[in-house]
Amino acid sequence: MSAQPSESAAAKAEEPRVSERGEKLHLFLRNSQGMFGLVLVLLFFASAIFAPLLAPYDPNQLDIPARMSGPTLDHWAGTDQLGRDTFSRVLYGGRVALKIAAIGVSVSLFLGLLLGMLAGYGPRWLDNFLLLFFDTIRAFPTIVMALAVVALTGPSLELVLIIVIVTSIPGYARLARTSTLALKNTEFIVAERSLGASMGRILWRHVMPNVVGPLLILAAMDVPVVVTVEAGLSFLGLGVLPPTSSWGTVLNEGYLIIRDTPWPVIAGGIPLVLTTLGFTFLGEALRDVFDPRLRKGR
Amino acid sequence: MWIYAIKRIGLSVVIVLLATLALFALLHMIPGDPVSIALGPRATPEIQARYIEKMHLDEPVVMQFFIFIGNVFQGDLGADVFSDRPVALTISEQLPFTLVLVVTALGWAALIGIPLGCFSAVRPNSLLDRITGVFSVGTIAVPSFLVSIWAILVFAVMLRWLPVIGAGESGDIVDQIWHLILPAFAVGLGWVGYFARMVRASMLEVMGENYIRAARAFGLRRRTIVYRYALKIAILPTITLIGIGFGTLLSGAVFAEIIFSRPGIGKLIYDMVLNRNFPVVQGAVMVTVALYVVITLLSDLVVAWIDPRVRTTL
């Protein structure tokens, strides 16, 4: 998901850059960490999308005689206290993670881009106001904000999404703002303005394509953060609620029986680590290939 | 420097006020009658009336906010709904546990991570550098709450070496340290990787600078160059990182406190949300936010103090 949009953004450039694109693709293919990351990321997508086909059991099917078993041929990752197959539950949990990541990252990317461009291009007071707004959001540690909001709404998947979106927006917005500020007085923007183009047109047609690239890389790196927030909140019982299986609920239920069987907390945690590794490697490789300057900034 | 500091402090105060306002508005949007939530359905009208008057619930929400802010400046964060205990007192009891945890976690991570980053930068692509690289990515990839769970699994359930519940007997320092080891390990582990990567990257950059080459040409010992001259500049991005990352650090501490049933501000907020004891939630969240803003402020001021170029950016 993260590789394609950045390529299509590059594809919007003129014809002579084809060779440059080819070179970048080559650079990326030679980056072994990046390829490893890409494999893990594809694995994450495939296992989540095809979970119903891959899972040997229904995630909620009980098998009381085999409860709290370790890994066996029947249950590859063991079972929990109700005899549910942990492997199947983890596979289905990936669907929750994917849903949160896809919606959370794309919505916060879009809103962050919009607000960031407005802050960078708009009047000074709007810039100051938005910066203050972002700083205020940032002042809340994610989990603390989640706890405060849970008091209001009660735990749910929607709550997790809202938290994820609100806490991610400032990161995207600041990045978009900085790039927009740099573009604001370049010749082609000034020319466009003198021709009487509206602010909306300038931002959408001219600023956005130049600003969005680094944001897409940030989005790739943001996926594990989002997935971790979901798992963490669900683990505390503040996110997705049982019996829906998510990596967080598998960990939550596994933690209750940690003294009887270690397998659920092991199996519930591994996909979280693999997803983080995959997206981090992929994001770093994309950054090195497409925008080496960013490396210094982070 | 002073102008920068004053501007920066002013901005911080505004942010804390805005955050408090947001929190205040949020907690007042909670559906249901705050009086019956606080006192339960069986409270007599007299008790209800007294509560309304005490909490200023008959005033408009904006007025309530200003009354609250006014009280905050007098050190009054409100009172516990159930026990009528001052919230400020409860928080002042819980906060030290969180601070000890956070400082210990950050401390051991810095002690290991910063030298690791230096070693790697001095000999790039050596075996040690590669091992450090893999180790850093590995520690960053495991979220701190997962480290807590797995640490409990390994050290408490399987090996039975360390205790996992509480903060130890009060007054018994050894016992308290014993209880601090696992949570501090869990909160700090990812930071070892952050420190190592950050210091390595900025160190590599600094080592290419002219003044380092000059020092080398003068024949200074490598260790002197690295630790006396290069590290002083290379550490700057790391200080900023601590400032920015303090929120993540606090989040990690909140998880660790809940998972290890350890007293502290995070556990307090969690318990009080479950009990619907909102004055305590409000006060504790506000203190957490203020703490975060102050730490960010301090890290910015330290960086501005060491590196005068930063001062012109605000």
Side-chain angles (χ1 to χ4, degrees):
Chain A
M1 176 193 121
S2 44
Q4 278 172 348
S6 44
E7 272 169 10
S8 66
K12 279 183 192 147
E14 316 89 299
E15 279 299 305
R17 296 185 64 185
V18 170
S19 62
E20 191 188 329
R21 241 196 307 157
E23 188 198 0
K24 292 205 157 157
L25 186 67
H26 184 68
L27 263 178
F28 180 73
L29 289 176
R30 269 191 23 204
N31 187 321
S32 55
Q33 271 196 354
M35 290 309 288
F36 178 58
L38 186 65
V39 170
L40 286 178
V41 168
L42 290 178
L43 201 67
F44 167 67
F45 279 104
S47 66
I49 293 169
F50 298 115
L53 299 175
L54 296 170
Y57 297 89
D58 181 282
N60 291 319
Q61 183 191 326
L62 309 183
D63 183 4
I64 301 292
R67 64 196 285 267
M68 294 199 273
S69 79
T72 60
L73 280 178
D74 285 341
H75 300 284
W76 295 351
T79 56
D80 64 9
Q81 71 273 38
L82 296 172
R84 293 174 298 191
D85 183 55
T86 304
F87 181 63
S88 305
R89 287 185 72 71
V90 168
L91 276 178
Y92 273 88
R95 293 172 83 89
V96 175
L98 179 61
K99 193 169 159 189
I100 297 266
I103 301 176
V105 169
S106 53
V107 172
S108 46
L109 173 82
F110 177 75
L111 291 177
L113 178 66
L114 199 70
L115 291 176
M117 288 195 307
L118 278 179
Y121 194 82
R124 185 79 193 262
W125 62 265
L126 186 65
D127 187 23
N128 285 336
F129 173 78
L130 285 173
L131 276 183
L132 203 58
F133 174 64
F134 302 147
D135 281 344
T136 307
I137 292 177
R138 276 201 192 186
F140 288 93
T142 312
I143 172 73
V144 173
M145 182 191 277
L147 282 168
V149 179
V150 144
L152 178 65
T153 62
S156 68
L157 186 72
E158 290 71 30
L159 165 83
V160 178
L161 265 177
I162 292 171
I163 298 291
V164 158
I165 290 170
V166 170
T167 50
S168 315
I169 286 177
Y172 295 104
R174 280 184 161 267
L175 197 56
R177 173 184 174 270
T178 316
S179 326
T180 309
L181 274 180
L183 280 173
K184 191 175 182 178
N185 292 319
T186 50
E187 279 172 10
F188 78 104
I189 297 288
V190 174
E192 196 69 22
R193 211 179 312 156
S194 63
L195 286 172
S198 67
M199 179 162 139
R201 186 185 157 83
I202 292 179
L203 287 184
W204 194 249
R205 292 291 303 273
H206 301 286
V207 175
M208 197 274 281
N210 286 296
V211 165
V212 78
L215 263 71
L216 292 172
I217 296 170
L218 181 64
M221 300 207 169
D222 213 21
V223 170
V225 178
V226 167
V227 170
T228 304
V229 169
E230 184 276 314
L233 289 178
S234 301
F235 171 71
L236 292 182
L238 304 176
V240 180
L241 290 175
T244 308
S245 62
S246 89
W247 296 339
T249 52
V250 170
L251 285 170
N252 174 307
E253 290 161 347
Y255 186 66
L256 299 176
I257 51 169
I258 197 170
R259 283 172 202 284
D260 302 307
T261 169
W263 299 105
V265 292
I266 296 175
I270 287 174
L272 208 51
V273 176
L274 291 183
T275 309
T276 309
L277 276 181
F279 279 98
T280 309
F281 282 151
L282 180 67
E284 285 183 354
L286 287 176
R287 184 187 60 192
D288 291 351
V289 171
F290 283 101
D291 198 353
R293 281 168 306 154
L294 260 180
R295 182 168 215 171
K296 259 166 101 177
R298 285 177 67 86
Chain B
M1 180 71 199
W2 284 111
I3 296 171
Y4 174 81
I6 288 167
K7 273 189 187 170
R8 196 63 193 73
I9 291 169
L11 189 64
S12 305
V13 172
V14 174
I15 289 173
V16 172
L17 281 179
L18 281 179
T20 312
L21 179 64
L23 178 70
F24 200 83
L26 190 71
L27 290 177
H28 276 79
M29 282 184 334
I30 291 170
D33 175 21
V35 184
S36 49
I37 289 175
L39 301 177
R42 274 189 280 172
T44 60
E46 293 81 50
I47 297 177
Q48 288 190 345
R50 216 181 310 148
Y51 183 78
I52 289 175
E53 177 155 0
K54 197 182 91 192
M55 306 295 273
H56 304 286
L57 289 176
D58 47 351
E59 308 269 1
V61 175
V62 182
M63 272 312 290
Q64 290 184 36
F65 175 70
F66 283 113
I67 293 171
F68 176 71
I69 289 292
N71 287 341
V72 167
F73 279 108
Q74 294 164 29
D76 175 12
L77 293 176
D80 191 307
V81 173
F82 303 113
S83 66
D84 210 27
R85 212 158 171 264
V87 173
L89 185 66
T90 311
I91 291 174
S92 64
E93 286 166 2
Q94 301 292 325
L95 194 57
F97 287 104
T98 305
L99 291 180
V100 165
L101 175 58
V102 165
V103 170
T104 316
L106 211 53
W108 84 263
L111 270 180
I112 295 180
I114 293 175
L116 268 183
C118 289
F119 291 141
S120 313
V122 172
R123 291 190 184 75
N125 294 323
S126 64
L127 185 64
L128 180 73
D129 182 28
R130 277 152 200 257
I131 294 174
T132 309
V134 173
F135 176 74
S136 328
V137 174
T139 56
I140 294 170
V142 192
S144 77
F145 79 96
L146 198 55
V147 181
S148 301
I149 299 172
W150 285 354
I152 287 181
L153 181 64
V154 173
F155 295 106
V157 176
M158 291 162 91
L159 299 173
R160 295 175 187 280
W161 283 352
L162 293 159
V164 289
I165 289 180
E169 295 286 320
S170 61
D172 185 349
I173 297 291
V174 179
D175 194 38
Q176 284 180 351
I177 292 175
W178 203 233
H179 280 80
L180 185 62
I181 295 176
L182 271 188
F185 170 76
V187 176
L189 187 63
W191 284 82
V192 178
Y194 278 127
F195 280 134
R197 287 181 62 132
M198 201 72 192
V199 169
R200 177 182 183 274
S202 52
M203 197 71 166
L204 276 177
E205 210 171 293
V206 173
M207 290 301 276
E209 299 272 341
N210 282 335
Y211 76 99
I212 296 293
R213 226 180 304 158
R216 212 176 283 161
F218 275 113
L220 290 183
R221 284 219 325 256
R222 188 177 210 144
R223 190 188 291 182
T224 320
I225 297 174
V226 171
Y227 290 99
R228 289 271 311 270
Y229 297 104
L231 187 58
K232 204 166 151 191
I233 298 300
I235 202 79
L236 288 177
T238 312
I239 297 177
T240 317
L241 180 78
I242 295 178
I244 297 171
F246 193 75
T248 323
L249 195 64
L250 273 179
S251 286
V254 172
F255 273 114
E257 283 169 7
I258 297 169
I259 294 173
F260 292 96
S261 303
R262 198 185 142 78
I265 202 109
K267 180 93 168 69
L268 179 71
I269 297 175
Y270 180 70
D271 289 345
M272 292 303 134
V273 164
L274 296 184
N275 289 339
R276 304 186 72 78
N277 197 339
F278 296 125
V280 185
V281 174
Q282 182 170 293
V285 173
M286 204 194 78
V287 169
T288 317
V289 169
L291 189 67
Y292 171 74
V293 172
V294 167
I295 298 291
T296 322
L297 172 69
L298 285 180
S299 84
D300 278 357
L301 290 181
V302 168
V303 170
W305 179 52
I306 302 180
D307 185 353
R309 286 170 302 178
V310 178
R311 292 174 208 165
T312 55
T313 56
L314 196 80

